[in-house]
Amino acid sequence: MLAGTVAWAHAIEPVDQSYVRSLAAPGKTVLVMEYSDATGAVVERKGYASADGFKAISGTQFRVNANTVVKLYGLEACNGDMVNQSEGFTGSCADWALSGLSTELENPKVVYCRAFVSEQNAAEQDVSCYVYVYFPGAMDSVYNLEEQLVSTGFLRLEKDRAGNLLRPDLKESAAIGKEGYGMWADPRVQAQ
């Protein structure tokens, strides 16, 4: 268990933003999957490029290729339906979460994900991802995808069976979201 915790800690620690920016390719969205062992050492990297980008298939998952889906580890949509009047949204929590991840995947130049080496050949891989978004003269940013989705209220932190957060590293982002953003604007979600 401790080895898994150490490996996951490496998967979510900050990245070298210059390195992530260097992965960009003209006219393509680049996805780099980095797999680490229990010591945090990178044992393999896989790269993908797409002219059409990578598409969300749920609020926590997006498709890499025909054989691989990645899942943002430790996050989930709220349950049932929700209303956010300021955003003009009424519908299911699942649709709200899907709209958030879909929006985040519209424009990145690079999606850089980290996972345990045990995820390497899985059809669905638990990951933590960073994205690099660049709009000349307006935005040049590398940020953690999960932090963004949690702090804006598209997703919430998932708990294990004992009630412990799977991603305690995102507590601050969750607190920001709970100030009334996204799903947290609906009192029914606040009561969950």
Side-chain angles (χ1 to χ4, degrees):
M1 180 69 174
L2 181 59
T5 302
V6 171
W8 189 252
H10 171 71
I12 56 178
E13 64 187 29
V15 298
D16 178 345
Q17 293 190 10
S18 297
Y19 171 69
V20 174
R21 284 180 173 93
S22 75
L23 299 170
K28 305 251 186 223
T29 301
V30 174
L31 170 68
V32 173
M33 296 289 297
E34 186 176 90
Y35 301 96
S36 301
D37 65 16
T39 68
V42 176
V43 295
E44 185 177 2
R45 286 186 181 92
K46 293 182 182 177
Y48 307 87
S50 172
D52 300 326
F54 299 93
K55 306 299 180 206
I57 57 174
S58 78
T60 59
Q61 300 172 307
F62 62 92
R63 182 161 301 286
V64 175
N65 58 29
N67 302 318
T68 309
V69 169
V70 297
K71 179 186 181 300
L72 300 176
Y73 176 75
L75 305 184
E76 66 182 3
C78 56
N79 296 320
D81 293 327
M82 58 162 278
V83 175
N84 182 317
Q85 293 179 349
S86 65
E87 298 283 337
F89 180 85
T90 301
S92 74
C93 287
D95 287 346
W96 175 250
L98 177 61
S99 71
L101 183 55
S102 295
T103 299
E104 288 296 326
L105 293 175
E106 281 179 8
N107 297 304
K109 298 282 185 197
V110 177
V111 181
Y112 174 77
C113 299
R114 291 174 166 172
F116 296 136
V117 69
S118 60
E119 301 292 315
Q120 197 170 0
N121 298 311
E124 180 181 297
Q125 302 179 8
D126 286 332
V127 300
S128 177
C129 297
Y130 287 79
V131 295
Y132 169 45
V133 179
Y134 177 70
F135 294 105
M139 185 175 197
D140 183 356
S141 181
V142 175
Y143 58 87
N144 182 269
L145 183 56
E146 298 95 288
E147 285 179 357
Q148 180 70 12
L149 291 166
V150 170
S151 67
T152 54
F154 283 102
L155 294 169
R156 65 183 181 187
L157 301 181
E158 186 178 8
K159 296 180 180 177
D160 64 17
R161 291 181 184 169
N164 300 311
L165 295 176
L166 294 178
R167 294 290 302 271
D169 60 300
L170 296 176
K171 277 184 182 178
E172 285 184 35
S173 299
I176 292 168
K178 287 182 178 180
E179 290 178 12
Y181 299 104
M183 72 175 97
W184 302 109
D186 190 325
R188 295 172 299 175
V189 174
Q190 293 172 13
Q192 289 182 9

